């Protein structure tokens, strides 16, 4: 066995040596937490602990595999007996042995997302609930949230008393669980919830695992939900040798059910806990860490810690502000290409991060135009995404309807009760007559055996013909795209789902509207055919390098756990990052700030923050301030530069900076409101403290406090249902109640 303490700093050694009782290791970004966990396992074995009695839980199979490999390299033999697995795989192993103790057979099946959706459709049909009014995904999302909180159907229904919609969800939840049980199936969330149920119902099974696992270690503890917290508490309840490793400053998965209070309140649950802070960073330069510390210290709900490093000082963070999002994307690609030419950073050493998937569209187009190889992590090519392909299929059908694939793709999207049998009959008729599929359905009444389905096909044809008439009236391409979205009900159906995935798909459709508007402005003679041709050229170009030497594009959420020498964070604007809705809620703002902290700490040597003064969103041009997170960075840790775009901006509503001032000074005036030379006028409020107001999301409440925050008023409201919220007046749009 290798030297256990080789290469460890003093705090890391403490984490390895603190084996008894509850231990909280607060591991800052890039502080070597995986190293501590693997060395800790090796030390336990060196102490004489049987590998059979050690459990290490991670969140991903990749992390589990990496930990297993490191342990195998350190421990000469016996490491295969150590239980290294994800939460879900651990629960499957337990349930395979003891599921019969809670009324299931041990040969149960596990439903994936598609299986669950299919089952939900059966449930809704049985309960006579209209899918058009109540989306299956909406119910599945509510059930998932309930299971993450260990709430069974009966408990859910008890809490829903008097609320019609919540009671309906509870009824669906109850029937859904009954159907799962009758099929001897667990869905993904059941795996943890049912394991907890098993432990609580059968003391002997719980005692067996508590005796088996003398030492329990959990990685990424800040990402655990309520069910995972309870599972870990029960497993470690025998000897209480629980070691959790995580960073509250990197808790960014609230939308998935993660509960940051699991790590913040660890010492409340375990008063005798040993707390160790890993604050030495091995990844980034001093300047990058200073900027990260500048941002995250503005959060109140966190454990106090400050990252530091023995690495080089490094360059200050670069701040670049542009007139338009196109110039921003153009700069990022040009800068990456320039650095590659100068051998500063190769393509594979560079990464571009953004808040929403929709932001990738302009970047992808610029990368393709400049023939710079790239890859998207955690997503697909913008024009390959289902919702984009669906809308484009409508446009192709409207244009000339010769693309049978496009017509067949959307003939039942959104659903209009045209089944595959009907489609097959139309295809056979088209083939026999030597005509297109669209021409065949235009002649639906003559299709053999079509029956009553002919009327449904005619309805689709009339819809397409209405769009064609709309275009002949002289409407623009973006107007047509909006008309298609509105008349088909595509976006409305996504809204009914009520999931984060659906929201992301809506954002992508809005970005397509922006693309159409840009085309309409740029083209000399804009036409629908021209737009489809331009999109096809962007989407179909296949000249990218197939090697791994590619620029990485990903959302900030996807970037967690990764690192790159050269990083760009784009879209650093109020309303985009932080998200507009998050700016109205203090807890949501803190999560957005943690996301910014995660983004900054992905960079090892060089970090560039970019923003656009104007950005097209949903086909409309918006004018934005630089993100408040940028303004939280001390001026000594950041520098501003100018950029001369290749093309003149289409719209230039801003005056050029005075020639006598340096570019850096002008940029910092815009980035730092406290340095603005002119007074910013706030809109007066039509309500005051004590008034009753209404908010679009949180409902009615009473204004508790109003503070003058300089650029805007900070308003605290005690909402009747949503609790107390602190928000900016300009974003809150509160309406005074008479």
């Amino acid at each position: 066995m290798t030297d256990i303490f080789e290469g460890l700093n003093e705090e890391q050694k403490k984490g390895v040596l603190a084996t008894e009782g509850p231990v909280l290791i607060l591991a800052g970004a890039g502080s070597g937490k995986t190293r501590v966990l693997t060395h800790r396992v090796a030390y336990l074995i060196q102490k004489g602990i049987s590998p059979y009695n050690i459990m290490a839980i991670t969140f991903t199979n990749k992390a589990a595999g990496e930990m297993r490999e490191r342990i195998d390299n350190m421990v000469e033999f016996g490491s295969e007996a150590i239980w290294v697995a994800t939460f879900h795989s651990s629960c499957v192993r337990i349930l395979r042995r003891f599921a019969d103790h809670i009324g299931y057979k041990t040969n149960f099946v596990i439903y994936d997302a598609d299986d669950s959706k299919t089952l939900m459709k059966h449930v809704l049909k049985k309960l006579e609930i209209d899918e058009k009014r109540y989306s299956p995904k909406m119910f599945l999302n509510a059930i998932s949230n309930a299971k993450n909180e260990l709430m069974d159907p009966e408990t859910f229904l008890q809490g829903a008393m008097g609320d019609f919609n919540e009671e309906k969800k509870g009824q669906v939840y109850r029937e859904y669980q009954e159907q799962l049980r009758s099929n001897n199936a667990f869905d993904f969330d059941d795996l943890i919830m049912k394991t907890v149920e098993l432990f609580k119902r059968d003391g002997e099974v719980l005692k067996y695992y508590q005796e088996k696992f003398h030492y329990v270690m959990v990685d990424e503890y800040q990402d655990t939900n309520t069910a995972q917290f309870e599972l870990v508490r029960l497993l470690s309840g025998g000897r209480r040798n629980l070691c959790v490793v995580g960073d509250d400053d990197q808790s960014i998965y609230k939308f998935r059910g993660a509960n940051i209070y699991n790590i913040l309140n660890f010492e409340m649950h375990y008063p005798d806990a040993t707390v160790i802070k890993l604050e030495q960073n091995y990844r980034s330069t001093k300047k990058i860490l200073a900027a990260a510390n500048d941002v995250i210290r503005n959060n109140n709900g966190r454990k106090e810690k400050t990252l530091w490093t023995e690495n080089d000082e490094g360059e200050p963070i670069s701040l670049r502000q542009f007139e338009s999002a196109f110039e921003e994307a153009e700069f990022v690609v040009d800068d990456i290409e320039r650095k590659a030419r100068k051998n500063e950073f190769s393509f594979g050493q560079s990464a571009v991060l953004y808040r929403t998937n929709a932001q990738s569209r302009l970047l992808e187009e610029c990368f393709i135009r400049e023939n710079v190889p790239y890859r998207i992590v955690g997503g697909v090519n913008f024009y390959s995404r289902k919702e984009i392909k669906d809308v484009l299929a409508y446009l192709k059908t409207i244009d000339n309807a010769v693309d049978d694939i496009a017509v067949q793709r959307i003939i039942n999207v959104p659903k209009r009760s045209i089944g595959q049998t009907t489609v097959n009959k139309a295809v056979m008729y088209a083939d026999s007559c030597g005509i297109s599929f669209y021409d065949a359905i235009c002649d639906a009444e003559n299709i053999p055996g079509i029956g009553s389905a002919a009327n449904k096909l005619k309805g689709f044809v009339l819809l397409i013909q209405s769009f064609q008439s709309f275009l002949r009236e002289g409407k623009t391409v973006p107007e047509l795209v909006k008309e298609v979205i509105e008349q088909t009900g595509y976006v409305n159906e996504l809204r009914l789902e009520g999931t984060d995935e659906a929201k992301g798909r809506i954002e992508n459709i809005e970005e397509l509207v922006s693309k159409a508007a840009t085309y309409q402005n740029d083209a000399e003679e804009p036409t629908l055919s021209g737009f489809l041709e331009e999109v096809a050229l962007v989407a179909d170009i296949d000249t990218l390098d197939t090697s791994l030497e590619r620029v990485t594009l990903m959302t900030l959420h996807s970037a967690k756990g990764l690192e790159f020498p050269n990083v760009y964070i784009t879209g650093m604007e109020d309303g985009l990052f932080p998200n507009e809705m998050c700016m109205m809620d203090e807890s949501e703002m803190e999560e957005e700030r943690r996301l910014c902290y995660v983004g900054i700490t992905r960079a090892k040597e060089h970090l560039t923050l970019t923003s656009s003064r104007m950005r097209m969103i949903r086909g409309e041009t918006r004018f934005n301030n630089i993100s408040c997170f940028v303004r939280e960075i001390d001026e000594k840790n950041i520098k501003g530069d100018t950029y001369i775009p290749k093309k003149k901006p289409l719209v230039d509503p801003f005056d050029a900076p005075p020639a006598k001032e340096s570019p850096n000074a002008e940029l910092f005036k815009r980035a730092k409101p406290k340095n603005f030379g002119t007074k910013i006028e706030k809109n007066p409020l039509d309500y005051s403290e004590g008034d009753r107001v209404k908010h679009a999301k949180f409902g009615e409440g009473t204004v508790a406090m109003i503070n003058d925050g300089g650029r805007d008023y900070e308003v605290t409201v005690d909402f009747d249902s949503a609790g107390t919220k602190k928000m900016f007046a300009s974003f809150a749009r509160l309406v005074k109640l008479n």
Side-chain angles (χ1 to χ4, degrees), residues 118 145 267 298 385 396 470 523 526 610:
T118 300
N145 291 337
E267 295 150 275
N298 289 278
R385 291 165 182 152
K396 291 177 183 178
F470 183 85
T610 66

mmCIF file of all heavy atoms in Angstrom, residues 118 145 267 298 385 396 470 523 526 610:
data_model
loop_
_atom_site.group_PDB
_atom_site.id
_atom_site.type_symbol
_atom_site.label_atom_id
_atom_site.label_comp_id
_atom_site.label_asym_id
_atom_site.label_seq_id
_atom_site.Cartn_x
_atom_site.Cartn_y
_atom_site.Cartn_z
ATOM 1 N N THR A 118 -45.793 6.550 -19.975
ATOM 2 C CA THR A 118 -46.812 5.657 -20.533
ATOM 3 C C THR A 118 -47.789 5.220 -19.454
ATOM 4 O O THR A 118 -49.017 5.209 -19.665
ATOM 5 C CB THR A 118 -46.146 4.421 -21.167
ATOM 6 O OG1 THR A 118 -45.268 4.848 -22.214
ATOM 7 C CG2 THR A 118 -47.188 3.477 -21.739
ATOM 8 N N ASN A 145 -41.481 15.276 -6.918
ATOM 9 C CA ASN A 145 -41.185 16.188 -5.807
ATOM 10 C C ASN A 145 -41.674 15.619 -4.484
ATOM 11 O O ASN A 145 -41.004 15.745 -3.449
ATOM 12 C CB ASN A 145 -41.834 17.550 -6.062
ATOM 13 C CG ASN A 145 -41.181 18.300 -7.212
ATOM 14 O OD1 ASN A 145 -40.033 18.050 -7.543
ATOM 15 N ND2 ASN A 145 -41.916 19.215 -7.832
ATOM 16 N N GLU A 267 -24.482 20.290 11.608
ATOM 17 C CA GLU A 267 -24.079 20.359 13.020
ATOM 18 C C GLU A 267 -25.276 20.418 13.962
ATOM 19 O O GLU A 267 -25.156 20.079 15.138
ATOM 20 C CB GLU A 267 -23.176 21.571 13.237
ATOM 21 C CG GLU A 267 -21.851 21.462 12.493
ATOM 22 C CD GLU A 267 -21.302 22.820 12.091
ATOM 23 O OE1 GLU A 267 -21.703 23.324 11.027
ATOM 24 O OE2 GLU A 267 -20.480 23.353 12.854
ATOM 25 N N ASN A 298 -21.283 37.457 -0.761
ATOM 26 C CA ASN A 298 -22.535 38.214 -0.687
ATOM 27 C C ASN A 298 -23.730 37.339 -0.308
ATOM 28 O O ASN A 298 -24.817 37.857 -0.064
ATOM 29 C CB ASN A 298 -22.808 38.908 -2.020
ATOM 30 C CG ASN A 298 -21.857 40.065 -2.275
ATOM 31 O OD1 ASN A 298 -22.055 41.166 -1.780
ATOM 32 N ND2 ASN A 298 -20.805 39.801 -3.041
ATOM 33 N N ARG A 385 -32.551 19.846 -31.817
ATOM 34 C CA ARG A 385 -33.446 19.648 -30.683
ATOM 35 C C ARG A 385 -34.871 19.440 -31.172
ATOM 36 O O ARG A 385 -35.308 20.053 -32.142
ATOM 37 C CB ARG A 385 -33.360 20.847 -29.737
ATOM 38 C CG ARG A 385 -32.008 20.911 -29.043
ATOM 39 C CD ARG A 385 -31.728 22.238 -28.400
ATOM 40 N NE ARG A 385 -30.391 22.224 -27.798
ATOM 41 C CZ ARG A 385 -29.623 23.291 -27.631
ATOM 42 N NH1 ARG A 385 -30.060 24.466 -28.016
ATOM 43 N NH2 ARG A 385 -28.441 23.179 -27.082
ATOM 44 N N LYS A 396 -41.295 24.041 -43.228
ATOM 45 C CA LYS A 396 -41.015 23.347 -44.491
ATOM 46 C C LYS A 396 -42.311 22.934 -45.181
ATOM 47 O O LYS A 396 -42.443 23.041 -46.406
ATOM 48 C CB LYS A 396 -40.149 22.121 -44.222
ATOM 49 C CG LYS A 396 -38.727 22.431 -43.788
ATOM 50 C CD LYS A 396 -37.963 21.155 -43.461
ATOM 51 C CE LYS A 396 -36.558 21.462 -42.964
ATOM 52 N NZ LYS A 396 -35.818 20.222 -42.603
ATOM 53 N N PHE A 470 -51.642 33.190 -44.655
ATOM 54 C CA PHE A 470 -51.060 34.186 -43.757
ATOM 55 C C PHE A 470 -49.776 34.750 -44.353
ATOM 56 O O PHE A 470 -49.530 35.966 -44.332
ATOM 57 C CB PHE A 470 -50.783 33.516 -42.399
ATOM 58 C CG PHE A 470 -50.237 34.435 -41.341
ATOM 59 C CD1 PHE A 470 -51.094 35.199 -40.558
ATOM 60 C CD2 PHE A 470 -48.869 34.522 -41.114
ATOM 61 C CE1 PHE A 470 -50.595 36.039 -39.573
ATOM 62 C CE2 PHE A 470 -48.365 35.354 -40.126
ATOM 63 C CZ PHE A 470 -49.226 36.119 -39.354
ATOM 64 N N ALA A 523 -31.345 39.890 -44.268
ATOM 65 C CA ALA A 523 -31.490 39.467 -45.671
ATOM 66 C C ALA A 523 -31.943 40.621 -46.559
ATOM 67 O O ALA A 523 -32.764 41.448 -46.160
ATOM 68 C CB ALA A 523 -32.486 38.310 -45.767
ATOM 69 N N PRO A 526 -35.815 38.934 -47.781
ATOM 70 C CA PRO A 526 -36.153 37.813 -46.892
ATOM 71 C C PRO A 526 -37.375 37.036 -47.375
ATOM 72 O O PRO A 526 -38.401 37.611 -47.733
ATOM 73 C CB PRO A 526 -36.432 38.494 -45.549
ATOM 74 C CG PRO A 526 -36.786 39.905 -45.894
ATOM 75 C CD PRO A 526 -35.998 40.244 -47.119
ATOM 76 N N THR A 610 -18.468 37.929 -20.432
ATOM 77 C CA THR A 610 -18.980 38.758 -21.520
ATOM 78 C C THR A 610 -20.450 39.076 -21.298
ATOM 79 O O THR A 610 -21.182 38.317 -20.674
ATOM 80 C CB THR A 610 -18.819 38.058 -22.883
ATOM 81 O OG1 THR A 610 -19.645 36.889 -22.924
ATOM 82 C CG2 THR A 610 -17.373 37.683 -23.134
#
